[in-house]
Amino acid sequence: MSMESPVVLRSTKALLDRLEKRLVISHSVASSSVENVDHLLKRLGSPPRRRAPPSREGKTRAVVKRPAKSSEASIKLPRYSLRVVLCAYMILAHPSAVLSGQGEREKQLIESAANFIKEFELLIKVILDGPGQSSGVTGQRKFRAQLANFDKAWCSYLYSFVVWKVKDARLLEEDLVRAACKLELSMMQTCKLTADRHSQNNLTHDMKAIQKQVIDDQKLLRDKVQHLSGDAGLERMNSALSDTRSKFFEAKENGSPLTAPVANVSTPLSINSSGKAPLSEVPESSR
């Protein structure tokens, strides 16, 4: 409930923004560069959606808005994502509710989240307590050292978060695509549809209702897949649906129509022999 509080969110966001500024200043004083994590931060947003070709009037508006679009692309993402920072606390406090598995990625994510929170709270302690009295280290030096430790822990946690997101997002996409294919197969069996999605006989009122419900449900699933994986996810879903139809009619022609929902429908995954997905294929989505 605290994490949903607008006051907490605003305060935490303001603190994170200030820490980022202090980090940049600290590195500029030391004549060193801040580790670039933009390639990871870009993976935290939703993927771009394909837009329909504009109409004749729309072309004029598109030309006017183009400079604004290019300026949006140049906007720098905040180094410390508020959502991902708060996720660390949720992961640590409620891992079974947040994580869907207990594999190596999940283990690394929990460990990196725990280390990040530890360094974050140590940094807050340094800020609140001020200069240490027992050591010869000045408060400013102590702050800079802990800020560096905090940022190092953040980079490690952010990487683990994004890598975990590959598996999590793809598994979710698989579930959505599989559900759409089961709906398709059930509709073809119930309505006795042909390859062009028309019934061999006139559809009854109930069959029409079933067909409409399936189409509506699949539209919702499509929207979820597009939000999750963008146009590439939609292409995988369309391919799976097409494959489901082909297998159904092929089995029907052979005299052995499928009688059970499709169990093997899944989206193609780019997983190497070690079971890990390359970081370059992390979907730009939020779950």
Side-chain angles (χ1 to χ4, degrees), residues 149-186:
N149 291 339
F150 159 77
D151 186 69
K152 183 178 180 181
W154 163 253
C155 293
S156 176
Y157 164 61
L158 179 62
Y159 180 85
S160 297
F161 185 90
V162 173
V163 170
W164 161 73
K165 197 177 175 185
V166 174
K167 174 186 173 184
D168 192 62
R170 289 300 177 90
L171 286 177
L172 180 57
E173 182 189 318
E174 280 191 349
D175 289 342
L176 294 172
V177 171
R178 188 177 290 109
C181 291
K182 287 181 178 180
L183 286 171
E184 186 75 12
L185 179 58
S186 177

Side-chain angles (χ1 to χ4, degrees), residues 26-45:
S26 177
H27 277 269
S28 64
V29 170
S31 299
S32 58
S33 58
V34 179
E35 182 178 347
N36 192 327
V37 292
D38 287 350
H39 62 294
L40 298 175
L41 296 172
K42 289 176 181 177
R43 304 296 184 179
L44 301 177

Side-chain angles (χ1 to χ4, degrees), residues 139-154:
Q140 193 63 24
R141 286 178 58 193
K142 187 176 181 180
F143 171 77
R144 284 201 298 264
Q146 185 54 40
L147 180 61
N149 291 339
F150 159 77
D151 186 69
K152 183 178 180 181
W154 163 253

